[in-house]
Amino acid sequence: MWYAIEGHDGPDVLAQRLAARPEHLARLTALRDDGRLLLAGPCPAIDAEDPGPAGFSGSIVIAEFDSLEDARAWADADPYVAAGVYARVDVRPFRKVLP
């Protein structure tokens, strides 16, 4: 089943986000290579493709896992969690309808 994972950045964490990004992307690449990633990306903190020093408000990942518990365990092991980037992470089932 698909699960939506939404990480919400804490305040002033851009430096931590940038430092942990390579490890974060490696995990997403592994999901993609396994055919389990629907989409992933950051949410700019301002209305701009590149928010610069404003940074990001969080990230969204939609990926396939065997269970909600597996999705939560994957999210809990994210390098952004370990680096203190995410103040909160929400994980919930997702049903793809379109396209």
Side-chain angles (χ1 to χ4, degrees):
M1 181 165 185
W2 295 108
Y3 293 90
I5 300 168
E6 186 171 9
H8 302 268
D9 284 18
D12 302 315
V13 295
L14 183 57
Q16 294 98 304
R17 175 182 268 274
L18 295 175
R21 189 170 188 263
E23 290 178 77
H24 173 77
L25 289 179
R27 296 179 81 235
L28 292 171
T29 300
L31 281 179
R32 182 202 63 198
D33 292 349
D34 288 344
R36 297 172 41 209
L37 182 65
L38 184 63
L39 66 85
C43 301
I46 60 172
D47 189 13
E49 182 75 22
D50 179 359
F56 299 89
S57 62
S59 303
I60 297 172
V61 174
I62 300 179
E64 188 174 35
F65 295 93
D66 290 333
S67 67
L68 180 58
E69 292 77 23
D70 288 348
R72 284 186 175 141
W74 186 91
D76 288 345
D78 193 290
Y80 284 173
V81 172
V85 174
Y86 292 153
R88 185 177 98 235
V89 178
D90 299 322
V91 181
R92 56 191 180 274
F94 177 80
R95 189 173 136 207
K96 183 178 183 271
V97 175
L98 293 172

